[in-house]
């Protein structure tokens, strides 16, 4: 085989490898909307030894300069891992408030990036209800997080 032919084969194999890695990363990031974590109890090591696990929902949003996507998110009550992807090219300060009709909203949590980080996340426990999600410097751009049991959503 000529050197030129060997070089072309290497390039084709390299491109195939890059495509395979990229596809695998996309598939892994999209599989399931829940993560399995060890349950937390008085003795966490006991639960791990017995193989008990507790599901934690993953709620993910994308923060853009003029919107938070998706505009409506549904989750079940309980433990939630809330992750935000920062698409603004600057730091963000994301606020989650429980909507209380006829009253002021109650802040549940706030999370933010530092040094223009791409992602931020926080674990929390949410009860049924409606929550407003917004970037603190631009509260007019909001998403709505609706927490309700799956059976209620299906009706």
């Amino acid at each position: 085989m000529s050197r030129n032919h060997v070089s072309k084969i290497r390039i084709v194999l390299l491109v195939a490898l890059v495509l395979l890695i990229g596809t695998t990363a996309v598939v892994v990031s999209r599989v399931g909307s829940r993560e399995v974590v060890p349950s937390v109890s008085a003795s966490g090591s006991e639960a791990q030894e017995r193989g008990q696990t507790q599901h934690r929902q993953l709620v993910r949003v994308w923060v853009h300069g003029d919107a938070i996507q998706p505009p409506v998110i549904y989750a079940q009550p309980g433990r939630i891992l809330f992750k935000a992807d920062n698409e603004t090219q600057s730091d963000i300060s994301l606020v989650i408030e429980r909507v209380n009709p006829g009253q002021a909203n109650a802040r549940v949590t706030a999370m933010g990036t530092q040094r223009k980080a791409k992602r931020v996340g926080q674990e929390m426990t949410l009860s049924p209800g409606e929550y407003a999600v917004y970037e603190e410097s631009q509260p007019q751009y909001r998403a709505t997080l609706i927490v309700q049991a799956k059976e209620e959503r299906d009706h």
Side-chain angles (χ1 to χ4, degrees), residues 17-123:
L17 181 61
V18 168
L19 288 173
L20 178 63
I21 290 171
T23 303
T24 302
V26 169
V27 169
V28 168
S29 70
R30 301 276 182 201
V31 171
S33 63
R34 292 177 174 252
E35 294 181 5
V36 177
V37 295
S39 63
V40 178
S41 64
S43 174
S45 60
E46 276 182 33
Q48 286 180 341
E49 288 172 13
R50 288 181 275 159
Q52 292 179 348
T53 57
Q54 182 176 9
H55 290 283
R56 173 178 64 183
Q57 294 176 85
L58 174 61
V59 173
R60 190 170 181 188
V61 298
W62 287 261
V63 180
H64 300 274
D66 61 351
I68 296 177
Q69 294 294 331
V72 178
I73 309 122
Y74 290 91
Q76 293 182 37
R79 291 178 57 183
I80 294 174
L81 177 59
F82 191 97
K83 289 189 176 182
D85 281 23
N86 179 7
E87 303 289 334
T88 67
Q89 311 276 317
S90 62
D91 284 329
I92 60 170
S93 180
L94 206 61
V95 176
I96 300 176
E97 292 180 339
R98 183 177 177 90
V99 176
N100 298 314
Q103 301 176 25
N105 291 351
R107 183 176 282 204
V108 174
T109 191
M111 64 188 89
T113 60
Q114 295 178 350
R115 295 185 299 277
K116 301 177 185 177
K118 181 70 175 160
R119 290 179 188 84
V120 64
Q122 186 171 331
E123 189 172 318

